[in-house]
Amino acid sequence: MQALPRRLHTISLLSLPPKHVNRIQIPSPTWLHNDLARSFHTTGRLRALELAFDYHENGGKAQGAPIVFLHGLFGSKKNNRSISKALARDLSRPVYAVDLRNHGDSPHDKTHNYIALAEDVENFLQQHKLKNVTLIGHSMGAKTVMTMALRDPGCCSNIIAVDNAPVDAALASDFPRYVEGMRKIEDAKVKSQREADAILEPYAKDLPVRQFLLTNLIRTAPNEPLKFRIPVRTLAHSLDDMADFPFNNPDEVHFSKPALFVRGIKSHYVSDETLPIIGRFFPRFELVDINSGHWVVSESPEEFRKGMLQPNPVYILKWFTLRLNILICSSRC
């Protein structure tokens, strides 16, 4: 099997109409057809929660199709404020930056898995009557938008999945350590951010990561200890669910609309080995690499923005090579 190209640039899913997204069409092999697709709406829907959100519309100038932006684990809508404003300005499209359940200002619930997260956001789209949506998600949010697209391809026009893949894969060992440190902070009943940071430092060596995690600390009343607004214990018990993916057979279900996968080249979440399975679930996928770790949007916001918005003429030939390699691997694996 030929080596898959490591760095690619992409034609933007955001700035081009759907018929222009992929300029090279490769016939889909038989395993991409959806004859055996099962329905995920016929039984046992979970209780959808009403999600908090920020709305960015560039002073009323953003009138195009909406974008819905989902954060990652331990994040919130505030993490995506700057990039949401930039997209609303650059694309004249309104952006809804959403807090997923158990995060930010959204309600808490003991159930925290991708089906529950997907149903919450599906309910959000229905409540706000959003059509022709682009779904963008980072990490946990990426698996959520992938789940939504595979459950109901009609829910959106396209998706952008940032640094995650549609596979069962263990979370980085950092995340259980973060949870342990956050639980230590809760148990200590700290009164200041400085105290919290000192407790968290052995569990999260990088200052930006600690600052990110500690944005979840709030004071509910004067002179009361700080507490996390996220349910740390619920999320701790859900780490295995966050590593899983609710679909495991691309012969049964796929999303045939455009899908952009953005990965950090210093991150391990979207390895070259995952590209064939991405191609089977999302046969029209495109790929762009960003010089960052897992926290792509915050580490390299300008490169992330340009990677989505700027076409690159050399992309088409590289994309064809990638697609050919994926088809060869899929037929042999």
Side-chain angles (χ1 to χ4, degrees):
M1 184 179 70
Q2 298 179 8
L4 296 171
R6 180 61 184 165
R7 290 192 55 79
L8 298 173
H9 296 276
T10 183
I11 295 173
S12 171
L13 297 188
L14 294 173
S15 56
L16 298 179
K19 67 179 180 179
H20 295 305
V21 170
N22 284 331
R23 301 180 185 176
I24 299 172
Q25 298 296 324
I26 298 177
S28 299
T30 55
W31 45 259
L32 287 178
H33 294 293
N34 201 27
D35 298 332
L36 299 177
R38 59 186 181 270
S39 172
F40 292 85
H41 292 279
T42 55
T43 59
R45 287 183 64 87
L46 300 167
R47 180 174 68 93
L49 304 182
E50 188 166 340
L51 302 177
F53 68 98
D54 283 342
Y55 181 62
H56 305 281
E57 36 77 57
N58 194 28
K61 298 176 183 178
Q63 301 292 330
I67 297 168
V68 174
F69 210 138
L70 308 181
H71 59 81
L73 188 60
F74 307 135
S76 75
K77 60 184 181 293
K78 303 301 183 187
N79 302 141
N80 298 319
R81 176 183 290 169
S82 296
I83 189 66
S84 295
K85 288 182 177 180
L87 293 177
R89 181 192 67 238
D90 295 342
L91 300 171
S92 293
R93 296 178 60 177
V95 180
Y96 295 78
V98 175
D99 279 336
L100 295 169
R101 64 167 53 198
N102 294 316
H103 289 77
D105 298 319
S106 284
H108 297 176
D109 192 276
K110 290 183 178 179
T111 301
H112 194 88
N113 57 49
Y114 288 114
I115 296 299
L117 293 167
E119 290 193 349
D120 288 345
V121 183
E122 290 165 359
N123 183 63
F124 180 87
L125 300 182
Q126 293 168 8
Q127 280 185 323
H128 295 274
K129 297 180 173 57
L130 302 183
K131 306 291 184 183
N132 302 316
V133 175
T134 293
L135 295 173
I136 306 178
H138 169 251
S139 193
M140 176 181 73
K143 279 192 172 180
T144 300
V145 303
M146 286 185 263
T147 300
M148 292 174 65
L150 294 175
R151 278 167 55 87
D152 179 13
C155 76
C156 60
S157 292
N158 46 62
I159 68 167
I160 299 177
V162 184
D163 214 52
N164 220 332
V167 295
D168 293 345
L171 295 178
S173 59
D174 294 342
F175 283 93
R177 289 204 303 271
Y178 298 160
V179 167
E180 186 178 355
M182 293 163 80
R183 295 182 70 168
K184 294 282 189 184
I185 291 170
E186 285 193 325
D187 293 341
K189 301 186 183 307
V190 300
K191 294 292 186 72
S192 70
Q193 288 269 346
R194 179 176 294 182
E195 290 178 75
D197 184 71
I199 293 172
L200 189 58
E201 186 172 6
Y203 303 92
K205 296 296 185 183
D206 295 335
L207 178 60
V209 174
R210 296 200 305 277
Q211 291 173 332
F212 163 72
L213 295 173
L214 294 178
T215 59
N216 289 293
L217 270 183
I218 59 172
R219 195 184 308 276
T220 56
N223 301 318
E224 287 294 312
L226 294 171
K227 61 180 294 185
F228 285 102
R229 63 180 175 177
I230 57 175
V232 175
R233 283 163 174 77
T234 295
L235 294 176
H237 291 308
S238 303
L239 290 180
D240 286 344
D241 288 323
M242 294 297 92
D244 290 342
F245 188 66
F247 298 89
N248 56 27
N249 190 350
D251 290 340
E252 294 182 346
V253 62
H254 71 275
F255 180 73
S256 58
K257 296 178 181 179
L260 175 62
F261 281 74
V262 180
R263 62 180 177 180
I265 61 174
K266 301 172 186 175
S267 171
H268 74 278
Y269 280 93
V270 187
S271 65
D272 286 345
E273 289 74 22
T274 65
L275 298 183
I277 194 68
I278 291 174
R280 294 182 67 187
F281 276 123
F282 301 94
R284 292 182 64 190
F285 93 99
E286 302 175 356
L287 181 70
V288 62
D289 284 347
I290 300 293
N291 184 23
S292 75
H294 179 60
W295 312 96
V296 177
V297 181
S298 60
E299 290 181 44
S300 303
E302 187 61 17
E303 190 178 353
F304 174 75
R305 187 185 69 86
K306 289 181 178 178
M308 290 192 296
L309 300 180
Q310 294 183 1
N312 189 322
V314 244
Y315 163 75
I316 297 176
L317 179 59
K318 291 183 177 182
W319 182 86
F320 179 81
T321 305
L322 172 66
R323 301 298 297 130
L324 182 61
N325 286 337
I326 288 172
L327 291 178
I328 291 172
C329 177
S330 297
S331 65
R332 292 177 180 175
C333 297

